[in-house]
Amino acid sequence: MNAGDLFDNPQSRAAMRHAELCRQIAAHDVAYHVNDAPDISDAAYDALRREVEEIEVQYPDLITPDSPTQRVGYSTKSTPFQKVVHSRPMLSLGNAFDDQDVRDFYGRVAKFLGVQPDDIVVMAEPKIDGLSCALRYEDGILVRAATRGDGVEGEDITANVLQIPDIPRQLKGTPPKVLEVRGEVYMRRADFQDLNMRQQAAGDKIFANPRNAAAGSLRQLDSRITALRPLRFFAYAVGDVSGAIATSQSGLRQALADFGFTISMPAQLCETVADTLAYYTEVMQNRPDLPFEVDGVVYKVNDMAWQDRLGSVGRAPRWAMAHKFPAEQAVTILRDIQIQVGRTGALTPVAILEPIAVGGVVVARATLHNEDEIARKDIRIGDHVMIERAGDVIPKITAVIMEKREPSSIPFVFPDHCPVCQSYAPRVEDEVVRRCAGGLVCAAQALERLRHFVSRDAFDIVGLGEKSLEEFWDRGLIRTPADIFTLQEQDKGSLTPLRSWPGWGPQSAQKLFASIDDRRNIALDRFIYALGIRQVGQVTAKRLAAYYRSYTAWSDAMIAGDDALQSIQDIGPAVAADITAFFAEPNNVALLTDLAGHLTIADHVMVARGDSPLSGKTIVFTGTLTLITRDEAKARAEKCGANVTGSVSRKTDYVVVGADAGSKRAKAIEFGVTLLSEEDFRDMSQSGTL
């Protein structure tokens, strides 16, 4: 096994196209959010994100830790605005694309709450295509406004928001002392057209669509420019609030209207799935007549007590879903099939299309997923193909127009060697992809693994972007992550090698060295995630860090083959096997030891949630729970700051015992672990200030 396997993460089974999309989206995020100069249309950007989602829906193993689906918004690190840490995260929404997705949403909510789907009432609202914004009011006075940013940290845009007439500076009525109102800044279609006419007449930039115009206008450094733009605001949610203002989503909408906000219409309270789907159809049919852009509708569980119980998972709330508008179709010609190689060595086919406009967006590429997909649909170069876009995004190939196929057409033969390094690319049993065996010999894999290592959610090393990494790789200065932390030593302090390179000099080199030094201290979960171990994304990395607490404890346990690995929540046999295989390879352990020697890896600290008695405790549930569902019990424990595992050990603090408990209860007694009844757990999880 190669040393490069240290960074092998086959979570992305057909990785290169997926990794390329991640890089493109990150670059476009900087152009759009940071520089206010998008280099593609908003619809084309959405197309890239949707292609990622389409791939991951069909092939969940393709999900990579740095996928856009695993994070919210954009990093504010390099933006010129002051930073604002949100008191409560601003989450994104999961997507539905057909009726069955909506039924599945109802089913998940019902299962979590232990009720029937018919018991669930949802508030349905238009999904406005604008820019999310959070407004903080104290004693009814607007004191701060912020963008969503990455969901945790946004940008202070207070001066610009004060220029929007829809946003009250002082609230009506008697609002709570602290009230954070969340909503969407947007631009009406007619106002957008007028703005572009003025821009054209003045010889200024023409905006691609109302959303881009709204986003660019809101993020001006000069608020006088914002004042000239016809921005509007719809309120639809609250964040930090010092006192309850409603018990339902419909009541919240009315409360926001009473405070002086505009709320989106048409909206409807839906008592059945049929009502929900009928509302969706109505909005879709009336979409062209609405004065603002919408790209779907949003469903929210109406009961806010249920919203609180449901909480969130990953980047999205469990109690809400965005239902995107349907696919659009067109026919074009498949000009080529290119094979791209990702950091796991996966060979991923990409369709190169004759560019064609679909729903106002020009598309020229589509994913083909893997060689089985090509064979199943008998897709050949030169074919006329039906392409489909779902939710205003990039298309996928749904069918071949056989009657237009040329007689000379030949089946596509999927290569069995890597197009980058020419190494053999075998297909592993039970996998849908071929994988290059070149390891670090293959530049595509090594560079992708290094890009992941320095990415925002991993080590986040500023100044070590894609081009810089390629340059250091080509010049032989960086081959493994450990090389990053010896870069200054390799430069021997003279800066002479770097200074002679185009675009580099003493100052830029010193900034890079300082950025690297700034990352020598890192949290355990980020360190684990950065390694790119197979199937270990951000959530799993946090689970491992929370369970083992320190780097030494984790690495020692992994090297020893800890049998307790599968007891950690969400770590099943497949994930455990990949982690175990990683540590079974001596080259991996050697590289890991080398890397750790350059760093200070901070112990994991459980986040205290108020004064809950469960905060920082390790909990196991056993038996049949009758007061709440098992899913809700786990979610409630984690909300209190507890660490939920699947098996009992001497590290376990509490075992919650339901009906018909068996071996776990016996083991808890053997180890002297405290047993809790369901009632005990309920009382402890409700005590304290959460």
Side-chain angles (χ1 to χ4, degrees):
M1 185 176 291
N2 253 289
D5 291 333
L6 172 62
F7 311 105
D8 190 24
N9 179 358
Q11 243 177 330
S12 49
R13 301 289 185 186
M16 186 52 193
R17 177 57 180 162
H18 192 274
E20 180 185 340
L21 288 167
C22 293
R23 294 199 310 273
Q24 289 183 12
I25 289 170
H28 293 318
D29 280 343
V30 172
Y32 178 73
H33 293 294
V34 178
N35 300 330
D36 284 327
D39 44 21
I40 59 172
S41 71
D42 182 62
Y45 173 84
D46 286 345
L48 297 177
R49 292 188 66 95
R50 176 60 183 142
E51 185 178 355
V52 172
E53 293 172 5
E54 285 285 340
I55 293 170
E56 293 178 357
V57 166
Q58 292 191 40
Y59 303 97
D61 287 342
L62 286 173
I63 298 173
T64 55
D66 55 350
S67 168
T69 65
Q70 304 302 302
R71 62 177 189 263
V72 174
Y74 61 94
S75 173
T76 62
K77 190 176 185 66
S78 302
T79 68
F81 296 89
Q82 292 293 317
K83 308 306 181 286
V84 174
V85 176
H86 298 300
S87 54
R88 292 175 58 185
M90 294 185 71
L91 303 178
S92 185
L93 294 176
N95 289 327
F97 293 96
D98 56 34
D99 293 358
Q100 187 56 50
D101 289 343
V102 177
R103 295 187 184 97
D104 291 345
F105 167 68
Y106 272 83
R108 290 193 300 272
V109 171
K111 180 178 181 293
F112 187 95
L113 295 173
V115 300
Q116 296 300 314
D118 289 343
D119 297 328
I120 300 166
V121 177
V122 305
M123 189 72 224
E125 305 167 345
K127 185 177 181 295
I128 312 302
D129 199 9
L131 185 75
S132 297
C133 181
L135 312 172
R136 182 178 178 85
Y137 290 84
E138 295 178 2
D139 296 320
I141 305 298
L142 178 62
V143 297
R144 189 176 64 213
T147 62
R148 181 171 67 178
D150 63 4
V152 175
E153 182 180 77
E155 303 158 301
D156 190 326
I157 53 170
T158 308
N160 292 346
V161 159
L162 290 173
Q163 312 304 319
I164 302 175
D166 277 1
I167 295 179
R169 296 193 179 197
Q170 182 169 356
L171 300 180
K172 298 178 181 178
T174 55
K177 182 176 180 61
V178 175
L179 174 63
E180 182 187 296
V181 176
R182 294 178 175 179
E184 204 82 359
V185 175
Y186 70 101
M187 194 175 290
R188 289 189 176 186
R189 286 195 181 105
D191 293 337
F192 168 70
Q193 296 296 339
D194 289 343
L195 172 62
N196 262 354
M197 289 177 63
R198 295 197 304 271
Q199 294 287 107
Q200 186 174 21
D204 293 333
K205 171 186 174 182
I206 301 299
F207 293 102
N209 53 54
R211 179 187 171 193
N212 275 0
S217 300
L218 190 61
R219 299 185 65 260
Q220 292 289 330
L221 293 176
D222 186 349
S223 62
R224 293 173 296 181
I225 297 177
T226 305
L228 299 175
R229 305 285 173 80
L231 298 178
R232 295 174 179 268
F233 180 79
F234 280 134
Y236 53 64
V238 295
D240 189 19
V241 58
S242 60
I245 60 175
T247 59
S248 66
Q249 192 69 34
S250 55
L252 174 63
R253 284 173 55 86
Q254 185 58 55
L256 292 173
D258 291 342
F259 291 146
F261 291 98
T262 302
I263 55 176
S264 61
M265 295 296 289
Q268 181 178 317
L269 201 60
C270 302
E271 297 187 355
T272 66
V273 177
D275 291 344
T276 302
L277 297 177
Y279 167 83
Y280 171 81
T281 301
E282 178 185 355
V283 175
M284 180 176 60
Q285 291 175 346
N286 294 329
R287 180 184 186 186
D289 301 321
L290 294 174
F292 44 80
E293 294 283 354
V294 295
D295 56 4
V297 299
V298 177
Y299 308 131
K300 302 174 183 177
V301 172
N302 193 49
D303 188 318
M304 299 191 84
W306 279 8
Q307 288 185 14
D308 186 61
R309 285 173 60 185
L310 287 160
S312 61
V313 57
R315 64 193 285 271
R318 291 187 180 92
W319 48 267
M321 173 69 71
H323 191 175
K324 304 300 286 288
F325 285 137
E328 299 177 75
Q329 295 182 330
V331 175
T332 188
I333 301 173
L334 177 61
R335 293 300 186 189
D336 195 10
I337 297 176
Q338 294 182 355
I339 306 299
Q340 299 178 325
V341 185
R343 73 166 180 267
T344 67
L347 273 60
T348 304
V350 176
I352 307 301
L353 306 169
E354 181 70 25
I356 187 172
V358 185
V361 177
V362 177
V363 294
R365 302 168 72 93
T367 179
L368 291 171
H369 302 298
N370 53 61
E371 62 182 297
D372 287 351
E373 177 83 355
I374 296 174
R376 182 177 67 82
K377 295 179 179 177
D378 189 18
I379 299 173
R380 304 182 184 184
I381 296 173
D383 278 345
H384 285 70
V385 293
M386 177 71 73
I387 58 174
E388 182 178 278
R389 291 174 57 232
D392 292 335
V393 289
I394 202 165
K396 61 181 178 181
I397 293 178
T398 59
V400 175
I401 313 301
M402 291 298 182
E403 56 267 29
K404 292 191 174 185
R405 173 171 284 173
E406 295 291 337
S408 59
S409 171
I410 59 174
F412 179 76
V413 178
F414 204 94
D416 59 5
H417 282 73
C418 173
V420 175
C421 70
Q422 306 307 312
S423 296
Y424 182 53
R427 181 168 174 176
V428 181
E429 185 178 357
D430 298 328
E431 289 196 2
V432 297
V433 298
R434 291 186 178 274
R435 200 176 302 280
C436 170
L440 282 179
V441 173
C442 181
Q445 293 182 64
L447 283 172
E448 285 304 318
R449 292 164 180 166
L450 288 167
R451 288 186 185 107
H452 169 69
F453 184 84
V454 302
S455 65
R456 186 192 68 178
D457 295 319
F459 269 73
D460 192 19
I461 298 178
V462 177
L464 201 54
E466 180 176 344
K467 290 183 179 179
S468 297
L469 275 175
E470 290 178 357
E471 188 172 28
F472 288 129
W473 171 272
D474 291 341
R475 294 174 183 270
L477 290 177
I478 294 180
R479 284 291 187 268
T480 73
D483 293 337
I484 294 171
F485 296 95
T486 64
L487 193 58
Q488 186 170 13
E489 181 182 341
Q490 293 181 65
D491 197 48
K492 302 184 186 306
S494 68
L495 302 179
T496 301
L498 292 187
R499 187 168 53 201
S500 65
W501 299 355
W504 288 92
Q507 186 174 3
S508 57
Q510 199 56 49
K511 284 183 178 180
L512 175 60
F513 296 151
S515 179
I516 293 172
D517 286 341
D518 190 47
R519 292 298 182 266
R520 292 183 187 273
N521 294 280
I522 191 167
L524 176 60
D525 62 298
R526 289 175 72 103
F527 176 82
I528 295 173
Y529 166 74
L531 297 177
I533 301 173
R534 296 185 120 191
Q535 302 195 73
V536 178
Q538 288 177 269
V539 173
T540 302
K542 289 181 184 296
R543 301 281 193 209
L544 290 166
Y547 186 82
Y548 291 102
R549 306 294 176 88
S550 73
Y551 166 72
T552 300
W554 174 64
S555 60
D556 287 351
M558 296 302 95
I559 292 171
D562 191 357
D563 293 335
L565 191 57
Q566 290 188 51
S567 72
I568 302 172
Q569 186 176 349
D570 298 330
I571 296 183
V575 178
D578 283 333
I579 297 172
T580 301
F582 172 86
F583 279 91
E585 169 53 45
N587 284 330
N588 290 347
V589 176
L591 281 174
L592 183 62
T593 302
D594 183 20
L595 175 62
H598 297 285
L599 307 170
T600 299
I601 305 170
D603 291 351
H604 180 80
V605 178
M606 295 295 292
V607 178
R609 308 294 176 92
D611 54 354
S612 170
L614 298 179
S615 181
K617 304 298 184 182
T618 297
I619 298 177
V620 173
F621 293 94
T622 185
T624 303
L625 303 186
T626 58
L627 297 181
I628 55 177
T629 66
R630 178 70 66 89
D631 287 342
E632 184 174 358
K634 290 179 178 179
R636 183 178 292 186
E638 291 179 340
K639 188 175 181 181
C640 293
N643 179 35
V644 180
T645 64
S647 64
V648 180
S649 70
R650 299 187 186 278
K651 297 179 180 179
T652 306
D653 295 296
Y654 298 120
V655 173
V656 180
V657 180
D660 302 320
S663 60
K664 291 180 182 177
R665 181 180 184 277
K667 199 166 187 179
I669 294 173
E670 176 188 346
F671 289 160
V673 175
T674 302
L675 301 179
L676 299 178
S677 67
E678 283 193 75
E679 291 79 5
D680 293 334
F681 172 72
R682 178 194 61 195
D683 294 342
M684 293 176 72
S685 65
Q686 292 176 344
S687 64
T689 305
L690 302 180

